[in-house]
């Protein structure tokens, strides 16, 4: 069966009135960006539906794979289109569709007609039974089952007639670009790419920031983060990645502050820098891959100390998830294999043997005063020497 068109279903919740058009516009743009490289397509709208019609040959599997990465789509239906909205044409097209798609084999079916065009002279029920009747006549091995059919032949009567029997699951969520922008603290680990994916799924555009510690971390570690950003961008769209040289700040903390507090103090500086860069780039929030209790720096007391330096909201979508649940998502979105590559991370290099698990904010703040002489200069240099990479989906 060769399809030339798809009907795109999207959730209509929260998209009433004026917002609906913004939502549909953005979704159409996102679909176009995803399928552009796969052929010539026309994207068309009819109330509550988006149609993707091919004007060139294309690879069916590739188009489905791309459409499944577009947030905001809940279902993808490969359709056949009949231009004439009259009963005989609908009948002929239905028979042709079933013949090509399934042939005459043992199956149960049901016809389901949706009449968006109420001027059509027959009631939906009437169309269902008439078409059902003709199908039974044409295909001797078919049986009707209205409760649990193998095949539900759906006929939508609109400006044209759309016939389909399959709905392939979409990614859900909201189209990227309908909900502002956030700065993802992207490490080379498993959790932060998943966190970025989850927030992007709610329609949020992403920028990302990576704290690099050369020469303690290698080019491989940096490349790994660039690769992860690229995989996430397959869903989120382009990501501007800010790469901060964090080495001198880490060395200063290492030299001047108590070693069991290193991680917390370091994480507070990461959040401060991330927030500054976020604000300078019109981001309205930060995103991290933190999860309660996963490591010493993610106990409730540690999260409290880290969070205290931020004024922007910090989104932590993995916060209540078990590691395995996070891994499951990273496998699904294809970041897992890259995340587990064994390159060192800036956090793992300056880590204490016994980090505090219940840091006290006043004590942490007092320790930070030991950096007073050097930190402003180091902070400024770190910001001034940021390297920016524009990451695009392949
Ligand atoms: P991940 O798997 O995302 O690396 P993790 O379990 O290793 O997380 P931590 O190392 O404590 O946890 O980091 C917690 C969060 O802080 C990360 O999810 C990420 O958002 C941020 N983070 C940690 N290291 C860096 C880094 N080098 N650059 C940017 N963000 C970082
Ligand atoms: Mg990590």
């Amino acid at each position: 069966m060769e399809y030339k068109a798809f009907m795109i279903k999207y959730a209509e919740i929260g998209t009433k009135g004026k917002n609906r058009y913004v939502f549909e516009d953005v979704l159409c743009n996102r679909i176009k960006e995803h399928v552009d490289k796969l052929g010539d397509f026309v994207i068309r709208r009819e109330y509550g539906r988006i149609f993707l019609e091919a004007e060139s040959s294309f690879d069916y599997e590739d188009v489905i794979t791309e459409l499944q990465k577009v947030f905001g789509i809940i279902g993808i239906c490969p359709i056949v289109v009949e231009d004439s909205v009259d009963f005989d044409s609908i009948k002929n097209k239905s028979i042709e569709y079933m013949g090509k798609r399934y042939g005459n084999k043992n199956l149960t079916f049901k016809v389901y007609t949706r009449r968006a065009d109420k001027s059509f002279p027959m009631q939906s029920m009437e169309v269902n039974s008439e078409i059902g009747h003709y199908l039974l006549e044409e295909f001797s091995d078919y049986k009707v089952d209205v409760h649990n059919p193998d095949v539900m032949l759906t006929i939508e009567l609109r400006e044209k007639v759309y016939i389909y029997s399959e709905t392939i699951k979409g990614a859900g969520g909201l189209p990227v670009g309908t909900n502002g922008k956030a700065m993802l603290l992207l490490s080379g680990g498993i959790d932060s790419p998943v966190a970025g994916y989850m927030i992007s799924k709610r329609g949020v555009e992403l920028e990302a920031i990576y704290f690099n510690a050369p020469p303690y971390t290698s080019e491989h570690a940096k490349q790994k983060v660039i690769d992860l950003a690229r995989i996430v961008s397959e869903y989120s769209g382009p990501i501007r990645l800010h790469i901060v040289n964090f080495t001198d700040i880490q060395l200063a903390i290492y030299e001047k502050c108590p070693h069991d507090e290193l991680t917390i103090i370091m994480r507070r500086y990461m959040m401060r820098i991330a927030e500054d860069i976020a604000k300078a780039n019109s981001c309205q929030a930060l995103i991290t891959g933190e999860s309660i209790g996963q490591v010493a720096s993610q106990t409730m007391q540690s999260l409290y100390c880290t969070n205290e330096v931020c004024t922007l909201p910090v989104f932590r979508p993995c916060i209540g998830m078990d590691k395995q649940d996070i891994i499951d998502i990273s496998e699904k979105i294809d970041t897992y294999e890259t995340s587990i590559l064994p390159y060192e991370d800036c956090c793992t290099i300056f880590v204490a043997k016994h980090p505090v698990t219940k840091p006290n904010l006043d004590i942490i703040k007092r320790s930070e005063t030991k950096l007073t002489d050097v930190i402003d200069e180091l902070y400024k240099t770190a910001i001034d020497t940021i390297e920016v990479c524009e990451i695009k989906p392949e």
Side-chain angles (χ1 to χ4, degrees):
M1 174 92 209
E2 207 181 299
Y3 291 101
K4 293 196 176 61
F6 301 88
M7 186 168 75
I8 310 284
K9 294 181 173 175
Y10 53 90
E12 291 173 41
I13 305 149
T15 59
K16 301 287 176 233
K18 193 165 92 239
N19 284 341
R20 173 187 200 110
Y21 296 102
V22 176
F23 179 98
E24 288 179 345
D25 278 347
V26 176
L27 182 53
C28 287
N29 289 341
R30 294 295 92 87
I31 292 170
K32 189 167 165 30
E33 287 161 9
H34 278 264
V35 299
D36 241 4
K37 59 192 172 222
L38 302 175
D40 294 330
F41 294 93
V42 171
I43 298 168
R44 211 165 46 73
R45 278 192 280 187
E46 275 181 46
Y47 194 80
R49 296 278 192 255
I50 291 172
F51 294 92
L52 179 70
E53 292 166 344
E55 301 206 313
S56 68
S57 60
F58 64 93
D59 186 280
Y60 176 85
E61 293 300 330
D62 288 351
V63 169
I64 297 294
T65 304
E66 274 310 308
L67 290 175
Q68 284 183 311
K69 292 179 190 162
V70 181
F71 295 135
I73 295 178
I74 53 169
I76 303 152
C77 310
I79 52 170
V80 293
V81 183
E82 170 55 59
D83 291 336
S84 343
V85 190
D86 65 78
F87 183 77
D88 275 346
S89 306
I90 299 170
K91 179 190 88 182
N92 293 336
K93 203 70 171 188
S94 300
I95 292 173
E96 183 192 324
Y97 172 80
M98 290 300 282
K100 279 191 182 161
R101 177 66 187 84
Y102 301 100
N104 185 22
K105 64 172 184 193
N106 253 316
L107 60 76
T108 60
F109 77 99
K110 169 187 177 171
V111 181
Y112 171 64
T113 304
R114 290 184 59 150
R115 216 162 47 111
D117 176 7
K118 300 287 179 205
S119 69
F120 190 75
M122 293 163 77
Q123 298 284 330
S124 301
M125 292 299 279
E126 221 179 322
V127 178
N128 293 346
S129 67
E130 287 287 309
I131 298 287
H133 166 79
Y134 282 109
L135 288 175
L136 288 173
E137 215 172 66
E138 185 75 23
F139 302 106
S140 52
D141 290 342
Y142 285 14
K143 286 192 188 63
V144 171
D145 181 347
V146 291
H147 301 294
N148 194 17
D150 300 327
V151 176
M152 169 113 110
L153 180 70
T154 306
I155 302 172
E156 296 205 7
L157 305 177
R158 297 172 176 268
E159 285 170 24
K160 300 176 183 182
V161 181
Y162 304 103
I163 296 174
Y164 61 94
S165 61
E166 286 166 282
T167 303
I168 299 155
K169 203 168 164 10
L174 301 168
V176 175
T178 54
N179 254 326
K181 187 162 70 167
M183 179 67 74
L184 168 66
L185 284 90
L186 183 61
S187 68
I190 294 169
D191 309 329
S192 45
V194 170
Y197 170 89
M198 288 171 76
I199 296 301
S200 178
K201 186 173 170 181
R202 301 306 303 165
V204 179
E205 219 180 300
L206 299 181
E207 293 212 10
I209 186 164
Y210 168 58
F211 295 90
N212 198 12
Y216 300 95
T217 57
S218 65
E219 269 303 302
H220 292 297
K222 174 173 149 187
Q223 187 57 46
K224 175 179 169 182
V225 172
I226 293 173
D227 293 344
L228 285 170
R230 210 203 46 71
I231 301 171
V232 174
S233 80
E234 294 279 338
Y235 307 89
S236 69
I239 296 176
R240 182 179 299 140
L241 172 65
H242 305 262
I243 301 174
V244 183
N245 185 332
F246 201 48
T247 312
D248 290 343
I249 292 181
Q250 279 191 298
L251 286 173
I253 299 171
Y254 192 76
E255 201 178 294
K256 295 174 189 291
C257 302
H259 284 193
D260 60 345
E261 295 169 10
L262 286 182
T263 308
I264 293 296
I265 295 173
M266 185 190 78
R267 295 202 45 73
R268 280 164 60 89
Y269 277 100
M270 279 189 187
M271 299 303 266
R272 287 180 174 113
I273 293 174
E275 175 156 310
D276 283 352
I277 303 304
K279 285 180 174 167
N281 288 278
S282 315
C283 297
Q284 295 100 9
L286 301 177
I287 306 166
T288 78
E290 288 159 310
S291 163
I292 294 173
Q294 204 185 75
V295 286
S297 59
Q298 296 175 28
T299 63
M300 290 295 278
Q301 294 83 352
S302 300
L303 287 164
Y304 171 71
C305 288
T306 316
N307 198 66
E308 194 264 344
V309 299
C310 300
T311 59
L312 286 177
V314 182
F315 298 146
R316 300 176 172 92
C318 303
I319 199 71
M321 294 170 72
D322 292 347
K323 193 73 185 186
Q324 190 56 50
D325 300 335
I326 303 172
I327 290 174
D328 290 347
I329 298 178
S330 77
E331 284 179 331
K332 193 183 87 184
I333 68 173
D334 219 22
T335 51
Y336 183 73
E337 291 300 326
T338 306
S339 288
I340 58 170
L341 293 172
Y343 305 124
E344 62 299 315
D345 179 65
C346 73
C347 309
T348 45
I349 285 164
F350 296 93
V351 78
K353 276 209 187 68
H354 301 288
V356 277
T357 53
K358 293 182 181 168
N360 173 296
L361 185 58
D362 292 331
I363 296 173
I364 296 288
K365 281 182 169 173
R366 208 175 309 142
S367 301
E368 280 180 353
T369 62
K370 301 199 166 81
L371 297 164
T372 311
D373 291 346
V374 293
I375 197 67
D376 288 351
E377 187 65 33
L378 295 176
Y379 196 97
K380 185 171 178 305
T381 308
I383 300 255
D384 289 346
T385 57
I386 285 178
E387 179 194 345
V388 176
C389 280
E390 303 286 348
I391 311 282
K392 292 197 175 64
E394 238 165 30

